[in-house]
Amino acid sequence: MGCMSTKLVPEGPPPNSGNLVTTVYDTGQDGKGKKTKHHRDRKREKNGVVKETGSNSGTNGGGKKPKTYRTKFDTRVTAKYDIKALIGRGSFSRVVRVEHKITKQPYAIKMVDRVQGKEVFESELMVLRRVRHKYIIQLIELFESQDKVYMVMELATGGELFDRIIAKGSFTERDATRVLQMVLDGLNYLHKLGITHRDLKPENLLYYHPGHDSKILITDFGLSAFRKTGEGNGHYMKTTCGTPEYIAPEILARKPYNCQVDLWAVGVITYILLSGTMPFDDENRTRLYRLILKAKFNYNGEV
Ligand SMILES: Nc1ncnc2c1ncn2[C@@H]1O[C@H](COP(=O)(O)OP(=O)(O)O)[C@@H](O)[C@H]1O
Ligand SMILES: [Mg+2]
């Protein structure tokens, strides 16, 4: 059983980009980034899919002690937004549901530690500042304080694809196809811009609303890489990163790789959607990687 989601951060600082969003600055003071993004506690759920225990993921329900988080917010943020509930968290980040004080419009704010999460938020911003697409989460505005970065994003209220797989066991071929078409549409857009997501998985695909017909939004660009201008399609990356169960064999083999690694992850997601189980699954990471490198899997369905 694979139960880990250690992530290594991608290479190099991103180039400055044209802004699609407003940025509110404080006295910026950068720290040194860390190599590991996070390692979540997960528990095993039915059908071989693993579930996070550390996050109240995806929904905007009661929230966990929002007051604790309210006090940690920069006053410029709380002057504009009411902090409602904690809806997700990683090692260096917290995601909260907020409400704009005047418009009453709900949003999500991802708050990242400037020092520990440096490379993560830099990657995320490098992407979010450039993208506008119906299947990709939209950044609304940005606040920067001395120790934190606050990304105000549109709020996805339908929860993670992950939770719907857990709830349903597996998807019908038709429903799986619908999800995958949206993911591939968003991914095609990203790849054309030279962006490789590098951490596609059901936890990072959010439903826009709770309905069955909701669209999907690709989120969490903390491990993304951006092709620098002039590199063309021959852009290859070297950094070993991702979430173990979804990592492509070429990354594990430490070969230079390109955006096709995202399509490998889509393949893994496809398998999970249709079967409710993981194609490559072993609690021992070395054995898991061996399975992936061999690309050895069984599928017992009728698809
Ligand atoms: N815009 C959003 N709307 C609703 N929930 C969100 C949003 N962004 C993140 N979340 C929730 O918070 C969790 C963690 O956010 P994510 O960006 O994936 O951070 P991490 O890098 O810690 O995985 C997500 O899995 C999701 O459940
Ligand atoms: Mg995530």
Side-chain angles (χ1 to χ4, degrees):
M1 290 181 290
C3 304
M4 284 152 288
S5 67
T6 303
K7 301 171 181 181
L8 302 175
V9 293
E11 64 261 18
N16 290 329
S17 62
N19 274 355
L20 289 174
V21 292
T22 349
T23 311
V24 183
Y25 291 102
D26 193 19
T27 47
Q29 193 190 58
D30 286 348
K32 285 277 163 268
K34 264 205 165 181
K35 269 291 163 202
T36 313
K37 189 184 175 190
H38 60 219
H39 182 124
R40 285 171 173 155
D41 288 324
R42 293 164 152 243
K43 71 169 188 283
R44 190 97 181 139
E45 290 283 311
K46 66 171 180 171
N47 292 328
V49 180
V50 290
K51 170 121 178 101
E52 292 168 24
T53 52
S55 97
N56 176 12
S57 47
T59 51
N60 316 299
K64 291 178 189 166
K65 297 183 188 150
K67 272 204 176 110
T68 339
Y69 294 93
R70 271 188 206 122
T71 55
K72 288 185 184 167
F73 273 75
D74 189 280
T75 48
R76 286 163 306 150
V77 178
T78 49
K80 193 161 176 185
Y81 297 95
D82 279 325
I83 313 301
K84 294 292 188 184
L86 176 68
I87 53 177
R89 58 177 154 190
S91 296
F92 313 128
S93 68
R94 296 281 182 276
V95 182
V96 288
R97 178 168 57 90
V98 302
E99 193 179 273
H100 191 284
K101 286 193 167 170
I102 296 166
T103 65
K104 301 293 173 202
Q105 190 72 28
Y107 294 101
I109 293 186
K110 185 167 176 176
M111 171 172 75
V112 188
D113 186 285
R114 245 182 190 289
V115 179
Q116 293 182 299
K118 184 172 187 285
E119 293 177 59
V120 168
F121 81 73
E122 282 182 345
S123 300
E124 189 130 38
L125 284 178
M126 166 211 50
V127 173
L128 290 180
R129 280 175 155 157
R130 285 179 163 87
V131 296
R132 193 174 287 269
H133 189 272
K134 59 185 170 183
Y135 300 136
I136 297 172
I137 203 86
Q138 186 68 51
L139 182 66
I140 309 294
E141 70 174 325
L142 181 68
F143 293 88
E144 300 199 52
S145 71
Q146 210 162 347
D147 58 340
K148 290 197 174 60
V149 173
Y150 303 85
M151 292 175 250
V152 184
M153 299 179 282
E154 65 180 323
L155 177 73
T157 59
E160 298 172 7
L161 172 63
F162 182 84
D163 293 315
R164 294 210 188 180
I165 301 172
I166 296 293
K168 288 175 155 203
S170 64
F171 277 45
T172 62
E173 203 173 321
R174 180 195 287 259
D175 288 344
T177 307
R178 241 194 98 241
V179 170
L180 293 164
Q181 271 169 349
M182 292 185 274
V183 174
L184 288 170
D185 195 348
L187 206 51
N188 183 38
Y189 171 84
L190 290 172
H191 288 178
K192 280 190 173 149
L193 285 179
I195 296 162
T196 305
H197 186 286
R198 303 203 291 192
D199 199 21
L200 284 176
K201 55 182 174 178
E203 294 91 321
N204 288 336
L205 298 171
L206 304 182
Y207 279 97
Y208 186 55
H209 66 70
H212 177 76
D213 57 340
S214 166
K215 67 172 178 173
I216 281 271
L217 294 168
I218 300 176
T219 67
D220 194 352
F221 292 89
L223 292 187
S224 297
F226 181 71
R227 182 180 65 213
K228 295 160 196 92
T229 39
E231 280 182 320
N233 285 329
H235 171 65
Y236 282 94
M237 294 158 272
K238 295 188 205 90
T239 310
T240 306
C241 69
T243 299
E245 286 81 357
Y246 303 85
I247 298 181
E250 58 268 38
I251 300 181
L252 295 177
R254 303 198 185 266
K255 291 180 184 160
Y257 62 89
N258 62 15
C259 63
Q260 288 182 28
V261 296
D262 283 341
L263 294 174
W264 175 274
V266 170
V268 175
I269 294 167
T270 305
Y271 184 103
I272 298 169
L273 282 173
L274 295 173
S275 71
T277 63
M278 308 290 292
F280 308 106
D281 201 6
D282 199 305
E283 64 195 0
N284 176 287
R285 215 183 274 189
T286 310
R287 284 200 301 261
L288 171 70
Y289 290 164
R290 216 175 282 144
L291 288 175
I292 296 172
L293 282 163
K294 281 190 208 149
K296 205 175 168 185
F297 65 90
N298 297 310
Y299 185 80
N300 297 321
E302 285 176 17
V303 179

